[in-house]
């Protein structure tokens, strides 16, 4: 009779372990699922006229993990530089150019204009940024 006690305990432990493993899996799926649902795909139309963006379009706020699409139009050709993410994009005059990225890094990131023909890194940033992207933690 005493011999049966450790055997029962052993069975009890074996039953508990898979149940907690199942709960861990369920929690993992809920976490992964909600993160995927919360991340949004956001499109912003930004119009540049004579090298300036209207005040209402200058600050772009998104959340960490969002897929951000900036649809640029400009009356003159530009080279844009999104700092931090270090994305450079050539914008042709009169056509829509999409600058897309996933907002994996949080913080405040300015978009500057690079002079035509200037190599990356060989530019000055004394001018105010064309626009600013703020990525908030999720
Ligand atoms: Cu720059």
């Amino acid at each position: 009779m005493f011999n049966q006690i450790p055997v029962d305990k052993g069975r009890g432990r074996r039953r508990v372990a898979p149940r907690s493993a199942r709960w861990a899996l369920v929690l993992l799926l809920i976490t992964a699922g909600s993160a995927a649902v919360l991340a949004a795909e956001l499109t912003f139309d930004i119009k540049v006229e004579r090298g300036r963006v209207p005040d209402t379009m200058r600050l772009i706020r998104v959340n960490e993990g969002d897929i951000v699409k900036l649809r640029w139009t400009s009356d003159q050709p530009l080279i844009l530089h999104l700092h931090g993410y270090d994305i450079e994009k050539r914008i042709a005059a009169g056509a829509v150019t999409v600058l897309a990225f996933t907002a994996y890094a949080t913080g405040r990131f300015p978009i500057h204009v690079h002079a035509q023909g200037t190599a990356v890194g060989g530019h000055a940033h004394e001018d105010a940024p064309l626009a600013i992207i703020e990525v908030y933690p999720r």
Side-chain angles (χ1 to χ4, degrees), residues 8-27:
D8 284 351
K9 270 186 184 171
R11 275 182 194 160
R13 277 198 203 109
R14 250 177 267 132
R15 273 182 211 136
V16 171
R19 199 177 291 165
S20 62
R22 244 176 276 147
W23 272 112
L25 183 65
V26 167
L27 284 172

Side-chain angles (χ1 to χ4, degrees), residues 49-61:
E49 267 177 6
R50 291 178 209 160
R52 281 180 63 86
V53 171
D55 289 345
T56 52
M57 298 179 194
R58 209 171 287 157
L59 181 60
I60 293 149
R61 293 170 174 217

Side-chain angles (χ1 to χ4, degrees), residues 80-83 86 88 111-114 120-121 123-125:
L80 300 181
H81 185 206
L82 170 56
H83 280 237
D86 204 24
E88 209 182 46
I111 297 173
H112 280 278
V113 175
H114 284 191
V120 184
H123 60 285
H125 289 109

Side-chain angles (χ1 to χ4, degrees), residues 3-4 12 17 27-28 32-33 40 43 49 59 63-64 68 82-84 87 103-104 108 110 116 118 122-123 134 137:
N3 282 344
Q4 286 178 343
L27 284 172
L28 185 75
T43 303
E49 267 177 6
L59 181 60
N63 289 309
E64 186 183 0
V68 184
L82 170 56
H83 280 237
I87 299 169
Y104 59 84
R108 193 173 158 90
Q116 289 276 17
T118 305
H123 60 285
E134 288 182 349

Side-chain angles (χ1 to χ4, degrees), residues 122-138:
H123 60 285
H125 289 109
E126 64 272 10
D127 291 345
L130 195 63
I132 289 165
I133 304 203
E134 288 182 349
V135 181
Y136 292 85
R138 198 165 281 284

